[in-house]
């Protein structure tokens, strides 16, 4: 069974910052952590002119870039549907936990991030039973869920460990 936990919220709500801090804290606690980030826009991890970019531009569906320090696999959809979260998770190497950033509509346990500067501040927890906590940079009173300060990463990590079943 793969342990997953999500970080969700509106644009500019602090998802990436919380994910980054949670990864660092969980790794500090000696857990192996992988991440999946959902992007809603056309993105590119390749620079124009790079060999791998040229391979993709020529029509390759998958391009692996491998060095002595890391490897990456890029897959061009070329008209295929976006893969499901489960399909992506099945391609990851084993780890103690996978933190999933984004994927608002998926049915895994997640924490909702809220910031005053967010693009939208409509609470997601009201319509998503998979949101099990809230992390905010303001007082989120009246919630029926645990509420954490967005910067209280140690307490959030304790909570994630408990929800995910990570035992020391």
């Amino acid at each position: 069974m793969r342990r997953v936990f999500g970080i969700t919220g509106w644009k500019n709500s602090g998802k990436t910052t919380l994910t980054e801090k949670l990864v660092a804290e969980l790794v500090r606690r000696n857990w192996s952590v992988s991440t999946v980030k959902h992007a809603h826009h056309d993105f590119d991890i390749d620079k124009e002119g790079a060999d791998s970019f040229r391979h993709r531009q020529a029509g390759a569906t998958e391009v692996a870039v491998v060095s002595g320090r890391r490897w990456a696999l890029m897959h061009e959809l070329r008209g295929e549907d976006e893969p499901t979260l489960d399909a992506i998770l099945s391609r990851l190497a084993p780890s103690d936990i996978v933190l999933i950033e984004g994927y608002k509509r998926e049915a895994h346990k997640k924490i909702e991030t809220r910031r005053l500067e967010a693009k939208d501040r409509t609470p997601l927890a009201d319509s998503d039973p998979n949101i099990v906590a809230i992390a905010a940079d303001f007082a989120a009173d009246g919630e029926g869920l645990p509420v954490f300060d967005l910067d209280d990463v140690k307490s959030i990590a304790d909570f994630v460990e408990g929800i995910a079943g990570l035992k020391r």
Side-chain angles (χ1 to χ4, degrees):
M1 178 191 91
R2 188 175 289 274
R3 291 181 187 94
V4 300
F5 189 83
I7 298 90
T8 193
W10 297 109
K11 183 177 173 105
N12 297 325
S13 65
K15 296 182 303 292
T16 300
T17 300
L18 179 57
T19 302
E20 177 186 9
K21 290 178 179 180
L22 267 177
V23 168
E25 178 62 21
L26 291 169
V27 168
R28 188 189 67 72
R29 296 177 184 198
N30 294 316
W31 298 116
S32 61
V33 181
S34 294
T35 64
V36 175
K37 158 83 174 160
H38 189 258
H40 290 283
H41 45 80
D42 190 24
F43 73 96
D44 209 334
I45 60 171
D46 227 354
K47 299 247 187 285
E48 188 171 348
D51 293 350
S52 54
F53 183 92
R54 292 170 61 193
H55 295 183
R56 288 189 304 121
Q57 289 299 102
T61 299
E62 287 193 327
V63 177
V65 182
V66 183
S67 77
R69 292 188 176 211
R70 70 186 58 90
W71 70 271
L73 177 64
M74 292 172 284
H75 181 97
E76 287 292 320
L77 292 175
R78 305 224 184 268
E80 300 170 48
D81 289 337
E82 178 180 318
T84 65
L85 177 58
D86 285 340
I88 296 301
L89 291 171
S90 73
R91 297 192 71 151
L92 296 179
S95 63
D96 293 320
I97 188 167
V98 179
L99 296 180
I100 300 168
E101 181 183 339
Y103 286 96
K104 278 187 205 74
R105 311 286 181 244
E106 294 289 328
H108 56 274
K109 303 275 188 236
K110 49 195 136 175
I111 189 166
E112 178 185 348
T113 57
R114 297 180 185 172
R115 289 182 62 218
L116 288 173
E117 294 87 27
K119 181 177 180 183
D120 188 338
R121 292 202 326 234
T122 306
L124 295 170
D126 294 348
S127 60
D128 186 348
N130 295 300
I131 293 176
V132 295
I134 295 160
D137 71 352
F138 58 90
D141 300 325
E143 295 293 339
L145 298 171
V147 177
F148 298 93
D149 183 289
L150 194 53
D151 293 322
D152 188 1
V153 178
K154 289 187 188 309
S155 294
I156 296 170
D158 291 342
F159 181 79
V160 169
E161 283 178 326
I163 290 291
L166 291 172
K167 303 199 186 328
R168 295 179 197 271

